[in-house]
Amino acid sequence: AVVSTQSTGDVGGKVQEAQVEKAFNILTRDPGVKAIFVNIFGGIVDCKVIAVGIIGACQKTKLELPLVVRLKGSNMEAARELLAGSGLQIQAHDQLNEAAEAAVQCVM
């Protein structure tokens, strides 16, 4: 399997739902993208804030691609609970290797 990555930018400590939505819109326009892998290390920003942005962006873009999210940092348990309770098909992991493997499995 061939896995390619695309970076839509580092949003630093000021992540907002609109930025996540824009990134998802960019990625979903590419027919070659079969899954989205979001790698978050919340050293600056709270993982819970990022989870809220991801959920809102998924709802607004009506995301249909598989979404794997790696959360590591402050409030990662609360963030994982938000993602799990969202009713959306989001796989959340705290270990990078597990999340990467899950993303690869989505496209195989």
Side-chain angles (χ1 to χ4, degrees):
V2 175
V3 178
S4 65
T5 60
Q6 178 176 348
S7 174
T8 55
D10 181 353
V11 295
K14 303 218 187 288
V15 67
Q16 295 178 357
E17 181 180 320
Q19 292 167 295
V20 179
E21 183 180 345
K22 182 178 179 182
F24 284 2
N25 281 324
I26 291 168
L27 292 169
T28 56
R29 281 196 306 255
D30 182 343
V33 174
K34 304 297 181 203
I36 297 176
F37 177 25
V38 177
N39 180 29
I40 299 300
F41 180 74
I44 297 172
V45 69
D46 183 321
C47 286
K48 187 175 170 184
V49 172
I50 295 169
V52 169
I54 289 171
I55 291 166
C58 285
Q59 293 168 336
K60 286 183 178 178
T61 62
K62 297 180 179 25
L63 186 68
E64 294 180 8
L65 292 172
L67 176 60
V68 178
V69 179
R70 184 256 186 156
L71 295 164
K72 193 74 169 183
S74 62
N75 282 327
M76 67 185 201
E77 290 301 323
R80 185 173 301 135
E81 289 173 15
L82 280 172
L83 294 174
S86 70
L88 300 168
Q89 296 296 314
I90 301 172
Q91 295 184 48
H93 300 271
D94 63 348
Q95 298 299 318
L96 182 58
N97 61 337
E98 292 171 4
E101 288 174 15
V104 170
Q105 290 301 313
C106 288
V107 298
M108 297 190 84

